[in-house]
Coordinates of all heavy atoms in Angstrom, one line a residue:
M1 N -216.9 194.8 13.5 CA -216.3 195.4 12.4 C -217.2 195.4 11.1 O -217.8 194.4 10.9 CB -215.0 194.7 12.1 CG -214.1 195.4 11.1 SD -212.5 194.5 10.9 CE -211.7 195.6 9.7
S2 N -217.2 196.5 10.4 CA -218.0 196.5 9.2 C -217.2 196.8 7.9 O -216.1 197.3 8.0 CB -219.1 197.6 9.4 OG -218.5 198.8 9.6
C3 N -217.8 196.4 6.8 CA -217.1 196.5 5.5 C -216.8 198.0 5.3 O -217.7 198.8 5.4 CB -218.0 196.0 4.5 SG -217.4 196.3 2.8
P4 N -215.5 198.4 4.9 CA -215.2 199.8 4.7 C -215.9 200.3 3.4 O -215.9 201.5 3.2 CB -213.7 199.8 4.5 CG -213.3 198.4 4.2 CD -214.4 197.5 4.8
I5 N -216.4 199.4 2.6 CA -217.0 199.9 1.3 C -218.5 200.2 1.5 O -219.0 201.2 1.2 CB -216.8 198.9 0.2 CG1 -215.3 198.6 0.0 CG2 -217.5 199.3 -1.1 CD1 -214.5 199.7 -0.4
C6 N -219.2 199.2 2.1 CA -220.7 199.4 2.1 C -221.2 199.3 3.6 O -222.4 199.5 3.8 CB -221.3 198.3 1.3 SG -221.2 196.7 2.0
K7 N -220.3 199.1 4.5 CA -220.6 199.2 6.0 C -221.5 198.0 6.4 O -222.0 198.0 7.5 CB -221.4 200.5 6.3 CG -220.7 201.7 5.9 CD -219.3 201.9 6.5 CE -218.6 203.1 6.0 NZ -217.2 203.1 6.2
K8 N -221.6 197.0 5.6 CA -222.3 195.8 6.1 C -221.4 194.9 7.0 O -220.2 195.2 7.0 CB -222.7 194.9 4.9 CG -223.9 195.4 4.1 CD -224.3 194.4 3.0 CE -225.2 195.0 2.0 NZ -225.3 194.2 0.8
D9 N -221.9 193.9 7.6 CA -221.0 193.1 8.4 C -220.0 192.3 7.5 O -220.4 191.9 6.4 CB -221.9 192.0 9.1 CG -222.7 192.6 10.3 OD1 -222.3 193.8 10.7 OD2 -223.6 192.0 10.7
T10 N -218.8 192.2 8.0 CA -217.8 191.5 7.2 C -218.0 190.0 7.3 O -218.6 189.4 8.2 CB -216.4 191.8 7.7 OG1 -216.3 191.5 9.1 CG2 -216.1 193.3 7.5
V11 N -217.4 189.3 6.2 CA -217.4 187.9 6.2 C -216.0 187.5 6.3 O -215.1 188.0 5.6 CB -218.0 187.4 4.8 CG1 -217.8 185.9 4.6 CG2 -219.5 187.8 4.7
A12 N -215.7 186.5 7.2 CA -214.3 186.1 7.4 C -213.5 185.8 6.2 O -212.4 186.2 6.1 CB -214.3 184.8 8.3
K13 N -214.1 185.2 5.2 CA -213.4 184.8 4.0 C -212.9 186.0 3.2 O -211.9 186.0 2.5 CB -214.4 184.0 3.1 CG -213.7 183.4 1.9 CD -214.7 182.6 1.0 CE -214.1 182.1 -0.3 NZ -215.1 181.5 -1.1
Y14 N -213.7 187.1 3.3 CA -213.3 188.3 2.5 C -212.9 189.5 3.4 O -212.8 190.6 3.0 CB -214.5 188.8 1.7 CG -214.9 187.7 0.7 CD1 -216.1 187.1 0.8 CD2 -214.1 187.4 -0.4 CE1 -216.5 186.2 -0.1 CE2 -214.5 186.4 -1.3 CZ -215.7 185.8 -1.2 OH -216.1 184.9 -2.1
R15 N -212.6 189.2 4.7 CA -212.2 190.2 5.6 C -211.1 191.1 5.0 O -210.2 190.6 4.5 CB -211.7 189.6 6.9 CG -211.9 190.4 8.1 CD -211.9 189.6 9.4 NE -211.1 188.4 9.3 CZ -211.0 187.6 10.3 NH1 -211.6 187.7 11.4 NH2 -210.2 186.5 10.2
P16 N -211.1 192.4 5.2 CA -212.1 193.2 6.0 C -213.4 193.6 5.2 O -214.1 194.5 5.7 CB -211.3 194.4 6.4 CG -210.4 194.7 5.2 CD -210.1 193.3 4.6
F17 N -213.6 192.9 4.2 CA -214.8 193.2 3.4 C -216.0 192.3 3.6 O -215.8 191.2 4.2 CB -214.5 193.3 1.9 CG -213.3 194.2 1.7 CD1 -212.0 193.6 1.4 CD2 -213.4 195.5 1.7 CE1 -210.9 194.4 1.3 CE2 -212.2 196.4 1.5 CZ -211.0 195.8 1.3
C18 N -217.1 192.6 3.0 CA -218.3 191.7 3.2 C -218.4 190.7 2.0 O -219.2 189.8 2.1 CB -219.5 192.6 3.3 SG -220.0 193.3 1.7
S19 N -217.7 191.0 1.0 CA -217.9 190.2 -0.2 C -216.7 190.4 -1.2 O -216.0 191.4 -1.1 CB -219.2 190.5 -0.9 OG -219.1 191.9 -1.4
K20 N -216.6 189.5 -2.2 CA -215.5 189.7 -3.2 C -215.8 191.0 -3.9 O -214.8 191.7 -4.3 CB -215.5 188.5 -4.1 CG -214.4 188.5 -5.1 CD -214.3 187.3 -5.9 CE -213.0 187.3 -6.7 NZ -212.7 188.5 -7.5
R21 N -217.0 191.3 -4.2 CA -217.3 192.5 -4.9 C -216.7 193.8 -4.2 O -216.1 194.6 -4.8 CB -218.8 192.7 -5.0 CG -219.3 193.7 -6.0 CD -220.8 193.9 -5.9 NE -221.1 195.3 -6.1 CZ -221.1 196.3 -5.2 NH1 -220.8 196.0 -3.9 NH2 -221.4 197.5 -5.4
C22 N -216.9 193.8 -2.9 CA -216.4 195.0 -2.2 C -214.9 195.0 -2.1 O -214.2 196.0 -2.2 CB -217.0 195.1 -0.8 SG -218.6 195.7 -0.7
A23 N -214.3 193.8 -2.1 CA -212.8 193.6 -2.1 C -212.3 194.2 -3.4 O -211.3 194.9 -3.5 CB -212.4 192.2 -1.9
D24 N -213.0 193.8 -4.5 CA -212.6 194.3 -5.8 C -212.8 195.8 -6.0 O -211.9 196.5 -6.6 CB -213.5 193.6 -6.9 CG -213.0 192.2 -7.2 OD1 -211.9 191.8 -6.7 OD2 -213.8 191.5 -7.9
V25 N -213.8 196.3 -5.4 CA -214.0 197.8 -5.4 C -212.9 198.5 -4.7 O -212.3 199.5 -5.2 CB -215.4 198.1 -4.7 CG1 -215.5 199.7 -4.5 CG2 -216.6 197.7 -5.6
D26 N -212.5 197.9 -3.6 CA -211.4 198.5 -2.8 C -210.1 198.5 -3.6 O -209.4 199.4 -3.7 CB -211.3 197.8 -1.5 CG -210.2 198.4 -0.6 OD1 -210.5 199.5 0.0 OD2 -209.1 197.9 -0.5
L27 N -209.9 197.3 -4.2 CA -208.6 197.1 -5.0 C -208.6 198.1 -6.2 O -207.6 198.8 -6.5 CB -208.6 195.7 -5.6 CG -207.3 195.4 -6.4 CD1 -206.1 195.5 -5.5 CD2 -207.5 194.0 -7.0
G28 N -209.8 198.3 -6.8 CA -209.9 199.3 -7.9 C -209.6 200.7 -7.4 O -208.9 201.4 -8.1
K29 N -210.1 201.1 -6.3 CA -209.8 202.4 -5.7 C -208.3 202.6 -5.5 O -207.8 203.6 -5.8 CB -210.6 202.5 -4.4 CG -212.0 202.9 -4.6 CD -212.5 203.3 -3.2 CE -214.0 203.7 -3.2 NZ -214.4 204.2 -1.9
W30 N -207.8 201.5 -4.9 CA -206.4 201.6 -4.5 C -205.5 201.8 -5.8 O -204.6 202.6 -5.9 CB -206.0 200.3 -3.8 CG -204.7 200.3 -3.1 CD1 -204.4 200.8 -1.9 CD2 -203.4 199.9 -3.7 NE1 -203.1 200.7 -1.6 CE2 -202.4 200.2 -2.7 CE3 -203.0 199.4 -4.9 CZ2 -201.1 199.9 -2.9 CZ3 -201.7 199.1 -5.1 CH2 -200.7 199.3 -4.1
L31 N -205.9 201.0 -6.8 CA -205.1 201.1 -8.1 C -205.2 202.4 -8.8 O -204.3 202.9 -9.4 CB -205.5 199.9 -9.0 CG -205.1 198.5 -8.7 CD1 -205.7 197.5 -9.6 CD2 -203.5 198.4 -8.7
S32 N -206.4 203.0 -8.6 CA -206.6 204.3 -9.3 C -206.1 205.5 -8.5 O -206.3 206.6 -8.9 CB -208.1 204.4 -9.6 OG -208.9 204.5 -8.4
G33 N -205.5 205.2 -7.4 CA -204.9 206.2 -6.6 C -205.7 207.0 -5.6 O -205.3 208.0 -5.1
D34 N -206.9 206.4 -5.3 CA -207.8 207.1 -4.3 C -207.2 206.9 -2.9 O -207.5 207.7 -2.0 CB -209.2 206.5 -4.4 CG -210.0 207.0 -5.5 OD1 -209.4 207.8 -6.3 OD2 -211.1 206.6 -5.7
Y35 N -206.5 205.8 -2.7 CA -205.9 205.5 -1.4 C -204.4 205.9 -1.4 O -203.7 205.8 -2.4 CB -206.0 204.0 -1.1 CG -207.4 203.6 -0.7 CD1 -207.7 202.3 -0.4 CD2 -208.5 204.5 -0.6 CE1 -208.9 201.8 -0.1 CE2 -209.7 204.1 -0.3 CZ -209.9 202.7 0.0 OH -211.2 202.3 0.4
A36 N -204.0 206.3 -0.2 CA -202.6 206.5 -0.1 C -201.9 205.2 -0.1 O -202.4 204.2 0.4 CB -202.3 207.2 1.3
L37 N -200.7 205.2 -0.7 CA -200.0 203.9 -0.8 C -199.4 203.6 0.6 O -199.1 204.4 1.4 CB -198.8 204.1 -1.8 CG -199.3 204.3 -3.2 CD1 -198.1 204.7 -4.1 CD2 -199.9 203.0 -3.8
P38 N -199.4 202.3 0.9 CA -199.0 201.8 2.2 C -197.5 202.1 2.4 O -197.1 202.2 3.6 CB -199.3 200.3 2.2 CG -199.4 199.9 0.7 CD -199.8 201.2 0.0
S39 N -196.7 202.2 1.4 CA -195.3 202.4 1.5 C -194.9 203.8 1.1 O -195.5 204.3 0.1 CB -194.5 201.3 0.7 OG -193.2 201.7 0.7
G40 N -194.0 204.4 1.7 CA -193.5 205.7 1.3 C -192.5 205.6 0.2 O -192.1 206.6 -0.4
D41 N -192.1 204.4 -0.1 CA -191.1 204.1 -1.2 C -191.8 204.0 -2.5 O -192.4 203.0 -2.8 CB -190.2 202.9 -0.8 CG -189.1 202.6 -1.9 OD1 -189.2 203.2 -3.0 OD2 -188.2 201.9 -1.5
P42 N -191.6 204.9 -3.4 CA -192.4 204.8 -4.7 C -192.0 203.6 -5.5 O -192.8 203.1 -6.3 CB -192.0 206.1 -5.4 CG -190.9 206.8 -4.6 CD -190.8 206.1 -3.3
E43 N -190.8 203.2 -5.5 CA -190.3 202.0 -6.2 C -191.0 200.8 -5.7 O -191.5 199.9 -6.5 CB -188.8 201.9 -6.2 CG -188.2 201.2 -7.4 CD -186.7 201.3 -7.4 OE1 -186.2 202.4 -7.5 OE2 -186.1 200.2 -7.2
E44 N -191.1 200.7 -4.4 CA -191.8 199.5 -3.8 C -193.2 199.5 -4.1 O -193.8 198.5 -4.4 CB -191.5 199.6 -2.3 CG -191.8 198.3 -1.6 CD -191.5 198.4 -0.1 OE1 -190.4 198.8 0.3 OE2 -192.5 198.2 0.7
A45 N -193.8 200.7 -4.1 CA -195.2 200.8 -4.4 C -195.5 200.4 -5.9 O -196.5 199.7 -6.2 CB -195.7 202.3 -4.2
E46 N -194.6 200.8 -6.8 CA -194.8 200.4 -8.2 C -194.7 198.9 -8.3 O -195.5 198.3 -9.1 CB -193.6 201.0 -9.0 CG -194.1 201.8 -10.2 CD -193.0 202.6 -10.8 OE1 -192.2 201.9 -11.5 OE2 -192.9 203.8 -10.6
T47 N -193.8 198.2 -7.6 CA -193.7 196.8 -7.6 C -195.0 196.2 -7.1 O -195.5 195.2 -7.7 CB -192.5 196.3 -6.8 OG1 -191.4 197.0 -7.2 CG2 -192.3 194.8 -6.8
A48 N -195.5 196.7 -6.1 CA -196.8 196.2 -5.5 C -197.9 196.3 -6.5 O -198.7 195.4 -6.7 CB -197.1 196.9 -4.2
I49 N -198.0 197.4 -7.2 CA -199.1 197.6 -8.1 C -198.9 196.7 -9.3 O -199.9 196.1 -9.8 CB -199.1 199.1 -8.7 CG1 -199.5 200.0 -7.5 CG2 -199.9 199.3 -9.9 CD1 -199.3 201.5 -7.8
D50 N -197.7 196.4 -9.7 CA -197.4 195.5 -10.8 C -197.9 194.1 -10.4 O -198.6 193.4 -11.2 CB -195.9 195.4 -11.1 CG -195.5 196.5 -12.0 OD1 -196.3 197.2 -12.6 OD2 -194.3 196.6 -12.3
E51 N -197.6 193.7 -9.2 CA -198.0 192.4 -8.7 C -199.6 192.3 -8.6 O -200.1 191.3 -9.0 CB -197.4 192.1 -7.3 CG -196.0 191.7 -7.4 CD -195.3 191.5 -6.1 OE1 -196.0 191.4 -5.1 OE2 -194.1 191.4 -6.1
I52 N -200.2 193.3 -8.1 CA -201.6 193.3 -8.0 C -202.2 193.2 -9.4 O -203.2 192.5 -9.7 CB -202.1 194.6 -7.3 CG1 -201.7 194.5 -5.8 CG2 -203.6 194.7 -7.4 CD1 -201.9 195.8 -5.0
S53 N -201.7 194.0 -10.4 CA -202.2 194.0 -11.7 C -202.1 192.6 -12.3 O -203.0 192.2 -13.1 CB -201.4 195.0 -12.6 OG -201.5 196.3 -12.0
Q54 N -201.1 191.9 -12.1 CA -200.9 190.6 -12.6 C -202.0 189.6 -12.1 O -202.4 188.7 -12.7 CB -199.5 190.0 -12.3 CG -198.5 190.6 -13.2 CD -197.1 190.3 -12.8 OE1 -196.9 189.4 -11.9 NE2 -196.1 191.1 -13.3
H55 N -202.4 189.9 -10.8 CA -203.4 189.0 -10.2 C -204.8 189.4 -10.5 O -205.8 188.7 -10.3 CB -203.2 188.9 -8.7 CG -201.9 188.2 -8.3 ND1 -201.7 186.9 -8.6 CD2 -200.8 188.7 -7.7 CE1 -200.5 186.5 -8.1 NE2 -199.9 187.6 -7.6
A56 N -204.9 190.6 -11.1 CA -206.3 191.1 -11.4 C -206.3 191.8 -12.8 O -206.5 193.0 -12.9 CB -206.7 192.1 -10.3
P57 N -206.1 191.0 -13.8 CA -206.0 191.5 -15.2 C -207.3 192.2 -15.6 O -207.3 193.0 -16.5 CB -205.6 190.3 -16.0 CG -206.0 189.1 -15.2 CD -205.9 189.5 -13.8
H58 N -208.4 191.8 -15.0 CA -209.7 192.3 -15.4 C -209.8 193.8 -15.1 O -210.7 194.5 -15.5 CB -210.9 191.6 -14.8 CG -210.9 191.6 -13.3 ND1 -210.0 190.9 -12.5 CD2 -211.6 192.3 -12.5 CE1 -210.3 191.2 -11.3 NE2 -211.2 192.0 -11.2
L59 N -208.9 194.3 -14.3 CA -209.0 195.7 -13.9 C -208.4 196.6 -15.0 O -208.5 197.8 -14.9 CB -208.3 196.0 -12.5 CG -209.1 195.4 -11.4 CD1 -208.2 195.5 -10.1 CD2 -210.4 196.1 -11.1
H60 N -207.8 196.0 -15.9 CA -207.1 196.9 -17.0 C -208.1 197.2 -18.1 O -208.9 196.4 -18.4 CB -205.9 196.1 -17.5 CG -204.7 196.2 -16.6 ND1 -203.9 197.3 -16.6 CD2 -204.3 195.4 -15.7 CE1 -202.9 197.1 -15.7 NE2 -203.2 196.0 -15.1
Ligands
LIG101 ZN1 -219.3 195.5 1.5

């Protein structure tokens, strides 16, 4: 399996990514709407985004 961001080998600690950097990049993409939301329920998705935002204030 390879990192979906840069295609390098993944590291167990950061799976499915190769590093924290790539995990952050992915999170940023997700927050900016590049990715389809995992849930079809918009209210649930909003809650999920709120929770992620609280854990990653540097993305604001
Ligand atoms: Zn990577």
Side-chain angles (χ1 to χ4, degrees):
M1 193 175 176
S2 59
C3 174
I5 303 300
C6 69
K7 310 299 180 196
K8 285 185 195 167
D9 288 342
T10 56
V11 171
K13 189 180 174 186
Y14 298 113
R15 208 157 32 180
F17 308 102
C18 70
S19 64
K20 187 174 189 309
R21 193 187 143 276
C22 282
D24 282 348
V25 169
D26 185 76
L27 181 65
K29 278 191 180 186
W30 193 86
L31 286 175
S32 65
D34 282 1
Y35 283 180
L37 294 170
S39 168
D41 182 342
E43 208 171 292
E44 196 177 302
E46 234 171 74
T47 303
I49 290 171
D50 277 353
E51 280 176 18
I52 290 168
S53 300
Q54 281 168 17
H55 291 295
H58 62 282
L59 289 171
H60 282 276

